[in-house]
């Protein structure tokens, strides 16, 4: 009897030790938490940037250029962080059909995001020191409300009679003089980000 009680006592002590070794008490995975924090921060800042641009801010000039390159860096980081789990999911997929379909979707999404957020800013890097300049005549200013967003734009004709349109910010729209029919636009050629208008 005494031996049976001793065995029960040892078993209950082992169970108590096992409870103390619960996975909840393991140290937090710092790298994983930091990565999730970085992704969350990038998503929040990118969202705020998109909202501000949709309200007509950070569209032209140095703020527009900084926002464009910030969006490019965020897109690159998000694509790099998402590449590991996506590729891992494709590799561990059970059927070839899922692997091929997943690969095609991943490639299409990557190319689309790279085309929108990465290609034009990269092509504009050599042009930062020597941007394009164009003389416009018959210049008009318009603002379009799309849902809750406001997009400001000027358009005019170059010396060959071709129509050009450029996105501008709310500050330019507020200062626009309707009697100005000529403008000299300095811009980056690939993204068409306006640096200045005179």
């Amino acid at each position: 009897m005494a031996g049976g009680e001793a065995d029960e006592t040892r078993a209950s002590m082992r169970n108590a030790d096992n409870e103390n070794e619960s996975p909840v008490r393991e140290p937090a995975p710092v790298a994983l938490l930091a990565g999730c924090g970085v992704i969350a921060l990038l998503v929040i800042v990118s969202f705020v940037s998109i909202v501000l641009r949709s309200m007509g801010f950070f569209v032209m000039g140095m703020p527009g250029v900084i926002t464009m390159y910030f969006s490019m860096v965020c897109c690159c980081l998000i694509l790099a962080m998402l590449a590991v789990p996506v590729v891992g999911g494709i590799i561990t997929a059970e059927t070839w059909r899922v692997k091929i379909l997943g690969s095609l979707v991943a490639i299409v999404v990557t190319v689309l995001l790279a085309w929108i957020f990465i290609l034009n800013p990269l092509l504009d890097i050599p042009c930062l020191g020597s941007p394009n300049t164009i003389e416009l005549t018959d210049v008009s200013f318009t603002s379009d409300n799309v849902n809750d967003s406001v997009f400001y734009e000027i358009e005019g004709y170059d010396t060959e009679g071709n129509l050009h349109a450029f996105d501008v910010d709310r500050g330019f729209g507020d200062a626009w003089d309707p009697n100005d029919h000529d403008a000299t636009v300095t811009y980056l050629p690939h993204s068409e980000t306006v640096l200045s208008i005179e």
Side-chain angles (χ1 to χ4, degrees):
M1 291 287 287
E5 289 177 9
D7 288 341
E8 286 178 18
T9 304
R10 283 190 213 112
S12 65
M13 290 175 68
R14 270 188 245 124
N15 287 341
D17 288 341
N18 288 342
E19 288 176 6
N20 288 336
E21 295 175 4
S22 169
V24 175
R25 296 179 186 242
E26 290 182 6
V30 177
L32 180 62
L33 291 175
C36 291
V38 168
I39 290 175
L41 182 63
L42 289 175
V43 168
I44 291 168
V45 173
S46 297
F47 177 75
V48 169
S49 172
I50 289 169
V51 168
L52 288 174
R53 284 181 69 92
S54 72
M55 295 170 59
F57 299 105
F58 304 124
V59 176
M60 59 183 281
M62 193 52 66
V65 172
I66 291 170
T67 303
M68 175 182 66
Y69 283 107
F70 176 77
S71 298
M72 181 191 82
V73 169
C74 286
C75 185
C76 290
L77 290 174
I78 290 170
L79 284 175
M81 290 179 187
L82 293 178
V84 174
V86 169
V87 170
I90 291 171
I91 290 172
T92 59
E94 294 182 7
T95 64
W96 281 101
R97 174 185 280 174
V98 173
K99 288 184 181 189
I100 292 171
L101 185 61
S103 299
L104 290 175
V105 169
I107 289 170
V108 167
V109 169
T110 302
V111 168
L112 183 63
L113 289 174
W115 183 269
I116 294 170
F117 293 105
I118 299 172
L119 182 63
N120 288 331
L122 283 179
L123 293 174
D124 277 337
I125 289 175
C127 305
L128 287 171
S130 57
N132 287 7
T133 302
I134 189 169
E135 301 281 341
L136 298 179
T137 57
D138 295 330
V139 176
S140 61
F141 171 79
T142 59
S143 62
D144 292 327
N145 292 329
V146 179
N147 295 329
D148 292 329
S149 302
V150 182
F151 299 97
Y152 300 93
E153 185 178 79
I154 65 161
E155 58 182 27
Y157 295 91
D158 63 12
T159 54
E160 298 174 358
N162 298 319
L163 180 65
H164 295 271
F166 296 96
D167 292 329
V168 294
D169 59 23
R170 179 185 296 249
F172 178 83
D174 292 341
W176 172 254
D177 182 1
N179 296 322
D180 288 341
H181 297 292
D182 298 323
T184 302
V185 181
T186 303
Y187 66 100
L188 297 174
H190 300 285
S191 64
E192 295 191 345
T193 301
V194 174
L195 301 179
S196 64
I197 300 175
E198 297 174 2

